[in-house]
Amino acid sequence: MSGELGNRSWFRDIQCFEGTAPTPTTLEEVQAILRDRQRFPSPLRPMGSRHSMTACMSAQVPGSPGRWGTAIDMSRFKGEIRVDKEAMTATLPAGLTFFEAAHELRRRHGVQFRVNTELGTLTMGAAACGATKDSSFPGEPGQVCHDVVAMRLVKPDGEVVVMREGEADFDALRCSYGLFGVVTELTFRVAPHENISIRHEELEVGEFEQRRHQWMADGQAVFLYLFPYARPPRIVAELRGKGASEPASDFCLRLAARNFFWGKGLHLVADLVQHLPEPLAAVVGEAPQKIVREFLKMVDIRAVSPVDQIVDFAADPALLQGPDRFTFSMWAFPTAREGRKPFAQVLEEYFAFCRSPQAHGFRTVLPHVSYHISKDQSSMLSYSHDSDVWTLDPIASGKEPGWEPFLRAFNERCCDDWRGVPLFNQTPLLTRNHVVRAFGERLVKFEAVRRRFDPEDRMLNQYFKTLLQG
């Protein structure tokens, strides 16, 4: 992974470090890096697969754009998985990928993570200390870090501590983005493996409010494919249910087909549409979105392992080196907080925004998406801290013109009008104003805890200094 990406992020748009990143494989090597300020200058930034859409993992020196600290590549920090069936926990090394961990837990131990995010190249250290997402079953989390119950942390001065759920500052350590030190080992709650069903339902945006109540009442986890450029705008809801009675067999091939369609087929169409003159491009561009809607409705699955939805992006070199990659953004919108618009209204306004001049001409054949994620106060910087949320996730292939101006306008709309909450690792082009308005006093409390762990700012890069301190 490190050699293939060089010194840049997975999407190649962010420089992460200069020179060579150390790749520790033992606890002692991590301690040595943290203690040796001459060989490994500040800021120190631990990295995994580098899928973040922001410079959260960049080792840029605060106040000095041309100077770099030290990136620590944790992707080789691996080892065995230890499962305690009585406590229903699994202890894992920080460098193991989510894909590796989930498949071994199912294959060897018959257990699974409760949250099975699709990003399989995510390292377990990043899963515990960064924002993640998957649609929530009622009463269950949608963020991986919710189920972390213990972490072994090498603090910025090299001291090793083990922190556990319920102790002071553990809620700040979850979603701390490597600002408290380097996490090397983690313990997660796990659950018995259970197949799920997947079905799809198409609706118009005006039908969303009525349908969402029924989905929730039926105990389903809800993920939305959004088609703002269709006429009229459309939604395809992916509804996941528990209690699948049939054994999973070849149904996982349908998930593989869906992933291939996302990863390859749509990019070919995007290339075609980009080279067509307007208004022909707009007309042709609607056809692949209709194909996607019909395709999704054909891949209903009666029984499948949730582990099979996890994608190992590193297994396909084209996804790392070629053009077939996605970039995205994400804001979350609380469903029960005073002064905020209902999400059904936000959704309708977002569809109008995508087709308006304020979108700066950005248009994509790829569906945008949305997740329903449960209220989660397990981490101080949780984006669903106040209530359940629905998200808006615009997606691009990176080839469409106008993506960055679109995101800047999208951020301002999300912050000022729709009162959303961003993610430090998955919302590009954030400003101090965005995070202050979204997190308020929690941002102040988090910064106070960070200063206690790292009084000399050994881990603080330019990105977080701007957002946390202004």
Side-chain angles (χ1 to χ4, degrees), residues 26-36 154 157-160:
T26 68
L27 179 63
E28 292 73 23
E29 288 174 346
V30 174
Q31 289 180 282
I33 291 169
L34 287 164
R35 288 169 173 163
D36 192 336
V154 184
D157 60 3
E159 178 189 0
V160 178

Side-chain angles (χ1 to χ4, degrees), residues 223-248:
F223 170 73
L224 305 177
Y225 294 91
L226 309 177
F227 299 88
Y229 311 111
R231 301 186 185 190
R234 309 291 290 182
I235 297 170
V236 173
E238 182 172 285
L239 307 171
R240 303 174 189 175
K242 290 196 171 185
S245 57
E246 299 183 26

Side-chain angles (χ1 to χ4, degrees), residues 21-147:
T23 55
T25 59
T26 68
L27 179 63
E28 292 73 23
E29 288 174 346
V30 174
Q31 289 180 282
I33 291 169
L34 287 164
R35 288 169 173 163
D36 192 336
R37 293 174 175 266
Q38 184 172 355
R39 286 186 61 201
F40 305 107
S42 302
L44 298 180
R45 297 303 300 147
M47 301 185 315
S49 65
R50 302 187 227 166
H51 271 81
S52 295
M53 294 290 113
T54 73
C56 63
M57 70 281 199
S58 172
Q60 185 179 6
V61 175
S64 302
R67 294 178 56 215
W68 297 88
T70 306
I72 307 174
D73 184 350
M74 294 295 291
S75 63
R76 298 182 187 177
F77 199 97
K78 299 187 178 184
E80 67 174 353
I81 296 177
R82 305 189 305 275
V83 174
D84 184 334
K85 284 289 189 73
E86 184 175 346
M88 288 301 288
T89 60
T91 301
L92 316 100
L96 200 66
T97 69
F98 197 80
F99 184 91
E100 293 169 329
H103 279 268
E104 182 170 344
L105 288 174
R106 177 182 64 172
R107 182 177 62 253
R108 294 187 57 190
H109 304 284
V111 298
Q112 66 182 45
F113 297 115
R114 286 198 297 172
V115 180
N116 290 278
T117 183
E118 290 187 356
L119 183 57
T121 42
L122 177 77
T123 55
M124 298 311 302
C129 298
T132 56
K133 60 182 182 288
D134 192 28
S135 51
S136 299
F137 285 99
E140 295 188 14
Q143 303 182 53
V144 179
C145 69
H146 177 95
D147 281 330

Side-chain angles (χ1 to χ4, degrees), residues 129-198:
C129 298
T132 56
K133 60 182 182 288
D134 192 28
S135 51
S136 299
F137 285 99
E140 295 188 14
Q143 303 182 53
V144 179
C145 69
H146 177 95
D147 281 330
V148 183
V149 297
M151 301 191 214
R152 185 177 69 191
L153 175 72
V154 184
K155 295 172 66 175
D157 60 3
E159 178 189 0
V160 178
V161 296
V162 176
M163 298 182 62
R164 294 180 172 83
E165 185 177 44
E167 296 178 350
D169 301 328
F170 196 79
D171 65 333
L173 182 57
R174 292 184 177 124
C175 270
S176 58
Y177 299 97
L179 291 168
F180 292 9
V182 180
V183 170
T184 60
E185 186 177 81
L186 312 109
T187 301
F188 283 82
R189 274 185 293 263
V190 292
H193 179 264
E194 180 182 9
N195 290 331
I196 60 172
S197 62
I198 299 177

